[in-house]
Amino acid sequence: KDIWDPEDAIPSAAVYDCKLASYVSNVPGDKSKNMLAAYNAGASRVKQYQGVPPYSETQNYVRIILASAGRFER
């Protein structure tokens, strides 16, 4: 619908993230890290490398998002 409308964008992003998580659910390692890596590098790369791929961009993305997550918790 409207990517600029939070009422549309937030549920859409959540559905997408859940799909990514399901695509990589059988990959060993931390499920949150694998989902974030799938978002950044693609689920096929997470499956190929059986975890977070050895790409510095993806490794940094995962690290930064997880380090920032606490600021958004209630």
Side-chain angles (χ1 to χ4, degrees):
K1 295 183 181 186
D2 182 358
I3 63 169
W4 302 112
D5 181 351
E7 288 185 24
D8 290 337
I10 293 169
S12 296
V15 168
Y16 181 64
D17 288 344
C18 287
K19 282 288 188 191
L20 287 174
S22 72
Y23 294 152
V24 297
S25 64
N26 293 327
V27 175
D30 185 280
K31 293 190 180 300
S32 294
K33 290 179 180 179
N34 287 342
M35 186 278 297
L36 291 169
Y39 180 85
N40 184 264
S44 62
R45 294 295 177 231
V46 175
K47 289 179 179 181
Q48 175 185 359
Y49 289 101
Q50 290 294 287
V52 178
Y55 309 143
S56 60
E57 176 186 332
T58 301
Q59 293 173 352
N60 286 332
Y61 176 80
V62 170
R63 182 182 50 78
I64 289 166
I65 296 300
L66 290 176
S68 301
R71 296 186 311 186
F72 301 101
E73 293 176 357
R74 291 183 182 233

